[in-house]
Amino acid sequence: MLLPTEDAYVNFLTRNQKVSLKEIELELPEQKLTDILRTLHQLQQKDRATFDKANRAFVSHVQAYSKHECNLILRLKDLDLGKVATSYGLLQLPRMPEIKPQFKESFRGPEQTVDVFALVYKDKQKQASFQDKLKTYAETGEWKGKKKLIRKKSVPWELANKEREERKEIRKKRREKKQTRKAAIEAGGVVPVKRKRAKFSQEELDELANDIRLLKKVKKKKITEEEYADEMGIKDGGDDDLLDSE
């Protein structure tokens, strides 16, 4: 499924991957969707392994978007991750940096709150291992097998205070700018209109596709770095920096 803002990706696939996509209109009654969602929730509650798989699938979905070669078109920030999580039938939203507070409103979990720590594996060996981890967590506060977080290095108080004051000043200027804009609107004055990002032209999409193809050829050593630089119009000395950054 593509968002309305991602329709350019269809043309991209047709032109560069020789893949044709057809639009399908799919309408399901609300009750049918509710029944499907309830079934997904029940499957996870019956076996914790299914719960784990659903969460891993959702995380993979998010990572695929963030690391996609065409992330200029398929942008993670355009996704409503609350609805995406709902489509995977998750029992709760995972703890991820990408999950913002507003996604909790669009997320549809089970009708009744589920204690995910009480979910049981059908596999007795997995369940025994899980119980052992729970016991360790209760005693030490650390989840067995989980990598420890690398703590940030301590910063001198003067420097930390300076950075904090700078952030406050930036926020203050933003508030003042908003207030000025609001006052101008109320007074009927001329307010500069924010420009919306224009859609990508076909020429830009073709150029992007060509750049990706060339980069893949270099990585697979189908063309030399000199040929790549010549195609990209990079002067001598600039191609090494570009390729090293990959």
Side-chain angles (χ1 to χ4, degrees), residues 71-113:
N71 54 18
L72 291 176
I73 302 173
L74 307 176
R75 299 184 298 180
L76 181 61
K77 66 178 183 179
D78 292 337
L79 281 184
D80 185 334
L81 295 183
K83 292 182 178 179
V84 175
T86 301
S87 70
Y88 280 94
L90 300 190
L91 301 180
Q92 64 179 23
L93 286 172
R95 292 183 179 179
M96 299 172 61
E98 294 84 358
I99 300 297
K100 307 301 180 185
Q102 64 266 25
F103 295 140
K104 294 180 180 179
E105 298 179 4
S106 57
F107 174 67
R108 286 180 60 183
E111 295 175 356
Q112 296 181 346
T113 304

Side-chain angles (χ1 to χ4, degrees), residues 118-135:
L119 299 179
V120 178
Y121 287 101
K122 284 186 176 180
D123 187 310
K124 294 182 179 179
Q125 188 174 355
K126 281 189 175 182
Q127 180 59 23
S129 175
F130 179 65
Q131 289 294 338
D132 181 51
K133 290 179 180 179
L134 280 179
K135 183 179 179 181

Side-chain angles (χ1 to χ4, degrees), residues 37-234:
L37 197 56
R38 186 182 296 113
T39 300
L40 292 175
H41 293 157
Q42 290 173 350
L43 287 172
Q44 293 181 65
Q45 293 179 64
K46 288 179 180 178
D47 187 1
R48 187 178 181 85
T50 307
F51 167 78
D52 292 342
K53 291 175 182 177
N55 279 274
R56 284 198 294 269
F58 172 74
V59 172
S60 296
H61 187 123
V62 175
Q63 291 177 342
Y65 250 79
S66 62
K67 297 178 181 179
H68 201 284
E69 290 179 339
C70 288
N71 54 18
L72 291 176
I73 302 173
L74 307 176
R75 299 184 298 180
L76 181 61
K77 66 178 183 179
D78 292 337
L79 281 184
D80 185 334
L81 295 183
K83 292 182 178 179
V84 175
T86 301
S87 70
Y88 280 94
L90 300 190
L91 301 180
Q92 64 179 23
L93 286 172
R95 292 183 179 179
M96 299 172 61
E98 294 84 358
I99 300 297
K100 307 301 180 185
Q102 64 266 25
F103 295 140
K104 294 180 180 179
E105 298 179 4
S106 57
F107 174 67
R108 286 180 60 183
E111 295 175 356
Q112 296 181 346
T113 304
V114 176
D115 181 4
V116 295
F117 286 102
L119 299 179
V120 178
Y121 287 101
K122 284 186 176 180
D123 187 310
K124 294 182 179 179
Q125 188 174 355
K126 281 189 175 182
Q127 180 59 23
S129 175
F130 179 65
Q131 289 294 338
D132 181 51
K133 290 179 180 179
L134 280 179
K135 183 179 179 181
T136 303
Y137 180 75
E139 294 174 351
T140 64
E142 295 183 0
W143 191 258
K144 189 177 180 181
K146 186 177 181 180
K147 293 182 179 179
K148 292 184 178 180
L149 294 175
I150 300 175
R151 297 184 180 276
K152 292 175 67 177
K153 294 182 179 179
S154 58
V155 181
W157 182 86
E158 294 84 1
L159 181 59
N161 188 56
K162 181 182 177 182
E163 292 177 350
R164 186 162 49 249
E165 292 300 323
E166 288 176 351
R167 289 195 296 270
K168 285 183 179 179
E169 187 64 25
I170 291 173
R171 287 195 292 267
K172 181 181 177 182
K173 288 181 179 180
R174 285 177 181 171
R175 285 196 299 270
E176 290 175 350
K177 190 175 181 180
K178 287 182 179 179
Q179 290 172 356
T180 303
R181 182 182 179 86
K182 184 178 179 181
I185 293 174
E186 292 175 351
V190 179
V191 181
V193 180
K194 292 183 179 180
R195 294 183 179 180
K196 292 185 178 179
R197 180 182 177 86
K199 287 188 175 181
F200 294 100
S201 66
Q202 190 58 53
E203 184 179 353
E204 290 174 323
L205 292 175
D206 292 341
E207 186 177 351
L208 173 63
N210 185 57
D211 292 347
I212 293 173
R213 279 200 303 270
L214 289 173
L215 195 56
K216 285 183 176 179
K217 285 184 178 180
V218 174
K219 289 182 177 180
K220 293 179 180 179
K221 297 184 178 180
K222 290 185 178 180
I223 61 174
T224 64
E225 294 182 6
E226 289 76 13
E227 290 173 329
Y228 172 79
D230 184 57
E231 287 286 342
M232 294 292 292
I234 302 173

